[in-house]
Amino acid sequence: MILALGRKKQRLLLCLSVLPNLFLSFLLSSDPLLTLSSPHHCRLPVASPSPELLNYSLPWESGAREGDKGGWSQCKQYQFVNGTQSGVVNCEDGWDYNVTEGLRNNIVTEWDLVCGQYWLVPVEEVCFILGILTGCLGLGYTADRLGRLKTLLTSLALSVIFGVLVCVSPSPSLFIVTRFCLAAATAGVYLTLYITRLELCDPSLRLLVTMVAGLTTVAGELLLLGVALGCQSWRGLLGAGTAPLSLFLSYGVPGVFPESPRWLLLSERSTDLHSFSERRERERDDDSFTELESEPPPSGRPHLSFPELLHSRNIWKNMCVLGFTSFISHGISHCYSSFRGDVRGTAPSFYWTYLLSVCAGGGAWLLLWVTVDRCGRRGILLLAMTMTGLASLILLGLMEYLSESAITVFSVLGLFSSQAAASLCILFTAEVIPTVIRGIGVGMVMALGCVGRLSSPLMDLRNHYGYFLHHVVYSSLALLAVLSILLLPESKRKPLPQTLADGEQYRRPPLGRRRRDNVPLLATPNPET
């Protein structure tokens, strides 16, 4: 038993671990604003051309769907020879944009990433997601090997450096490369803070603190939209998210933000552990402490044993099930947000889609806070994935008979439940994976969620061709995930496992388990004696 931190110090550290989420949202959630494509047409000699001039200069294109009237071409214009139309050519002098939503100056409008250059937008989105994936895997491993604090400070420094480089990018290619590096570093900050936050909590506070961190992220996404409407420039928007991160480098000052005591126990850092003891002596006035109920590992095996990890079948089973569920829940969210536009051809406005997604995420965290500690992690995850699958089946099977309002209701239900499942998967993983590989485990589950998110830019690249089959596949896999969740253990209010042996003990309880009374019975004499 090691008394690590007082309650006051613990609460202060938890607040310090939650605060960066407000600004991480500016870097992790800004892609929809940066890549939003507004209505456009070929640039004409007149600054504000009249409809008659547009009709004379631009060809008319019919709509892709039945009943769509079409409009002026966005990529073609008439060629004139001696004042007469001689053919149709590509835009020669650039494009004019009718920006009504989002940033007035984003990467699409600044570098004309439309028509023949539009493919660069999905490529940027794919590289950004791959950057998050790389950061989750690479920096998650680093957090387990070198420590949470060192990884956090390194990720923060890299985020500031690459954030500045992104803001001064002169070309799309350099922007994509630096954005990839920024995504990897920012994902490392988010992941390291997530696992450090849980390792500083009592079992009864883990859900509450994680919910507060999630709502802080939601508040950051709402603040992101407000800053975007104010600055109207993508460089200023990213700069507003990068500058505050430099302040959090002060966490490296001794005594401000200590290393995770659980990681110190496993790595046997006697010097750092002695500093915790000194802090405890200085904080005698605090009447309660956070207890780490764990024994130090044998002195010969302070670090991870890869042969032992390969034979830890129960840990691998839990990671595979939670990773598969994270993949489905992240991937299917895009299907709900774009379903109405795919089926009816009337896509909602950007503000509606953005606010709906953000508010669904906030509502999902509130639902988890109310239900998870009462019904258990496994039961709520099972319910969320069941609702996700049912919403998909209703939308796909009855889309010809549903009204606009019904499609909106079931789309919101599916988006809400899928985001709840995605958030709970990460918390569940952090609670069942032992400390010695918690960074790797949580990073792997988050990386599989990124793989699911790759379907969104790939569908945009194909102009949503084949959306129905795409949605059917994810719906079928969601039902399969429901069955696999039954194999998971329950981690509600249990101490975090420390070693691989502790993680192997997290097994699924038998379905027919009989309840036992915890009240000890009085011993009765044996009449035969």
Side-chain angles (χ1 to χ4, degrees):
M1 303 280 269
I2 295 183
L3 301 177
L5 296 172
R7 293 290 185 186
K8 294 180 180 179
K9 183 69 173 181
Q10 181 194 37
R11 293 168 184 170
L12 176 61
L13 293 178
L14 291 176
C15 292
L16 292 178
S17 68
V18 168
L19 186 58
N21 284 25
L22 187 67
F23 304 100
L24 290 176
S25 302
F26 281 67
L27 304 180
L28 292 175
S29 305
S30 58
D31 228 36
L33 287 164
L34 299 181
T35 59
L36 179 63
S37 180
S38 302
H40 53 275
H41 58 77
C42 296
R43 182 171 297 151
L44 301 178
V46 182
S48 299
S50 61
E52 293 79 9
L53 179 59
L54 290 175
N55 194 37
Y56 181 73
S57 305
L58 304 177
W60 187 269
E61 293 183 349
S62 58
R65 297 177 182 270
E66 184 178 355
D68 190 356
K69 298 180 180 179
W72 289 300
S73 175
Q74 295 184 333
C75 303
K76 302 288 185 179
Q77 67 181 27
Y78 287 121
Q79 185 180 28
F80 293 89
V81 177
N82 297 327
T84 60
Q85 296 179 357
S86 62
V88 177
V89 295
N90 295 326
C91 297
E92 298 176 348
D93 300 322
W95 288 263
D96 286 328
Y97 299 90
N98 182 23
V99 179
T100 58
E101 298 176 323
L103 295 170
R104 186 169 300 277
N105 177 30
N106 60 10
I107 64 172
V108 175
T109 59
E110 180 170 334
W111 291 317
D112 288 334
L113 303 184
V114 294
C115 298
Q117 296 293 317
Y118 176 73
W119 61 274
L120 285 171
V121 174
V123 167
E124 188 278 333
E125 294 174 346
V126 169
C127 290
F128 179 73
I129 297 175
L130 290 178
I132 298 177
L133 185 151
T134 303
C136 290
L137 294 178
L139 295 175
Y141 176 81
T142 305
D144 289 334
R145 301 281 69 80
L146 301 181
R148 317 308 195 205
L149 184 58
K150 290 182 180 178
T151 306
L152 173 62
L153 296 177
T154 303
S155 302
L156 280 171
L158 292 177
S159 298
V160 173
I161 293 173
F162 286 111
V164 174
L165 293 178
V166 168
C167 292
V168 298
S169 298
S171 64
S173 58
L174 188 58
F175 175 84
I176 292 175
V177 173
T178 54
R179 183 87 167 142
F180 173 89
C181 299
L182 175 62
T186 309
V189 176
Y190 182 87
L191 171 63
T192 309
L193 288 173
Y194 195 102
I195 58 181
T196 303
R197 191 183 304 124
L198 286 184
E199 291 173 351
L200 291 171
C201 287
D202 295 330
S204 59
L205 294 178
R206 288 201 298 258
L207 178 63
L208 175 62
V209 173
T210 306
M211 183 271 298
V212 171
L215 292 180
T216 304
T217 303
V218 172
E221 292 173 347
L222 295 175
L223 181 62
L224 169 67
L225 183 59
V227 173
L229 295 176
C231 70
Q232 291 294 324
S233 171
W234 68 269
R235 299 180 190 271
L237 183 66
L238 294 180
T242 302
L245 292 182
S246 61
L247 301 177
F248 297 113
L249 291 173
S250 60
Y251 287 4
V253 176
V256 175
F257 197 83
E259 180 59 84
S260 168
R262 290 184 175 273
W263 184 86
L264 290 176
L265 281 172
L266 289 178
S267 59
E268 296 181 342
R269 301 295 179 89
S270 58
T271 304
D272 294 332
L273 285 176
H274 181 64
S275 66
F276 275 104
S277 300
E278 292 179 348
R279 264 198 297 274
R280 179 173 62 89
E281 294 296 334
R282 293 195 301 265
E283 296 175 3
R284 285 287 188 180
D285 56 330
D286 198 346
D287 56 355
S288 59
F289 298 92
T290 300
E291 295 185 354
L292 300 180
E293 298 183 355
S294 176
E295 297 180 358
S299 58
R301 303 180 65 187
H303 297 292
L304 174 64
S305 172
F306 286 99
E308 184 180 356
L309 176 60
L310 294 176
H311 290 86
S312 301
R313 292 179 295 179
N314 190 56
I315 294 177
W316 279 108
K317 181 258 295 180
N318 293 336
M319 281 199 297
C320 290
V321 172
L322 289 168
F324 178 67
T325 307
S326 177
F327 166 76
I328 300 303
S329 55
H330 281 89
I332 203 171
S333 297
H334 174 70
C335 300
Y336 295 118
S337 59
S338 63
F339 187 82
R340 180 181 172 186
D342 292 335
V343 175
R344 296 289 192 255
T346 55
S349 66
F350 168 78
Y351 293 133
W352 164 258
T353 304
Y354 184 87
L355 291 175
L356 178 63
S357 178
V358 173
C359 293
W365 277 116
L366 293 176
L367 175 67
L368 295 179
W369 176 54
V370 172
T371 59
V372 166
D373 267 348
R374 291 178 173 84
C375 304
R377 275 63 164 159
R378 187 177 62 164
I380 298 302
L381 184 60
L382 185 66
L383 175 63
M385 287 306 297
T386 302
M387 292 173 59
T388 301
L390 289 177
S392 293
L393 293 178
I394 292 174
L395 287 173
L396 293 173
L398 303 176
M399 62 179 177
E400 297 294 336
Y401 309 99
L402 295 177
S403 62
E404 292 286 339
S405 59
I407 289 178
T408 302
V409 169
F410 284 109
S411 297
V412 172
L413 176 63
L415 184 64
F416 174 80
S417 58
S418 62
Q419 292 204 16
S423 301
L424 186 54
C425 274
I426 302 176
L427 174 62
F428 209 159
T429 305
E431 291 184 332
V432 300
I433 299 301
T435 303
V436 67
I437 58 168
R438 183 165 294 123
I440 301 174
V442 177
M444 185 179 300
V445 172
M446 293 176 65
L448 287 173
C450 292
V451 175
R453 289 174 55 189
L454 285 174
S455 61
S456 174
L458 293 179
M459 288 296 294
D460 291 340
L461 186 61
R462 295 170 54 86
N463 199 20
H464 286 238
Y465 179 76
Y467 73 91
F468 186 83
L469 179 61
H470 172 250
H471 200 160
V472 167
V473 171
Y474 270 111
S475 301
S476 304
L477 293 177
L479 299 179
L480 181 60
V482 170
L483 300 177
S484 64
I485 291 172
L486 297 174
L487 301 175
L488 293 174
E490 180 54 63
S491 62
K492 180 179 67 173
R493 293 173 182 166
K494 292 183 179 180
L496 295 177
Q498 283 286 90
T499 63
L500 294 179
D502 296 335
E504 280 293 288
Q505 295 177 1
Y506 272 73
R507 298 180 181 274
R508 177 187 64 84
L511 297 177
R513 181 180 60 180
R514 297 177 59 184
R515 291 185 175 271
R516 295 183 178 180
D517 193 355
N518 293 326
V519 180
L521 299 178
L522 296 176
T524 55
N526 190 350
E528 296 182 357
T529 60

